[in-house]
Amino acid sequence: MKRVLTLWLALSGPLAWGGDIDPQRALFNYQMSCQGCHTPDGSGANAVPRMRDVVGIFLSTQAGREYLVRVPGSAVSALDDANLAEVLNWIIQEFAGASVTVPFQPYTPQEVGRLRQHPLPEVVQH
């Protein structure tokens, strides 16, 4: 499934916001902003949820899609909206695997900027 998703992303052209994912930059930003808790392979550490082979499930509903941006690690990240959108798109590409069950619409900086203004204070309850 990862190959199918990668192929789909490659064939769909540039992301809606006009830029391709720069894998090196996205990986660096993931390493600096996310990897400490979610681990290098997205399997999660301690009580931090696993992303590998699971994160795509969130894309099946609008609330789930928004959740990925509104969790505190995303919403209050030091990354600007464009870099956060790129990292989220990279995470889906790298870690979602077969958990993506709907056509993936890449995050845009505008969507990220709008959603992250409303971070979730109680992630588990939400």
Side-chain angles (χ1 to χ4, degrees):
M1 180 66 179
K2 181 177 175 184
R3 288 183 184 170
V4 172
L5 181 60
T6 301
L7 178 61
W8 180 83
L9 287 171
L11 294 176
S12 66
L15 298 177
W17 48 277
D20 292 315
I21 292 175
D22 178 329
Q24 291 178 325
R25 180 179 55 222
L27 173 61
F28 176 80
N29 285 329
Y30 177 80
Q31 289 171 330
M32 296 295 104
S33 301
C34 314
Q35 174 175 298
C37 296
H38 288 286
T39 72
D41 69 353
S43 61
N46 302 320
V48 175
R50 160 186 200 88
M51 289 192 297
R52 179 160 296 286
D53 300 322
V54 177
V55 71
I57 294 168
F58 290 95
L59 302 174
S60 63
T61 68
Q62 185 61 33
R65 179 181 175 85
E66 292 177 5
Y67 179 86
L68 294 177
V69 179
R70 295 179 61 207
V71 294
S74 291
V76 300
S77 167
L79 295 173
D80 65 21
D81 296 342
N83 281 304
L84 181 56
E86 181 177 62
V87 167
L88 289 168
N89 293 329
W90 180 87
I91 287 170
I92 299 301
Q93 180 179 326
E94 291 297 312
F95 297 144
S99 69
V100 176
T101 59
V102 297
F104 173 55
Q105 295 296 317
Y107 288 98
T108 66
Q110 295 78 19
E111 177 184 20
V112 166
R114 179 177 50 82
L115 293 173
R116 74 191 308 195
Q117 292 178 27
H118 307 284
L120 296 173
E122 299 295 333
V123 176
V124 175
Q125 287 80 356
H126 191 78

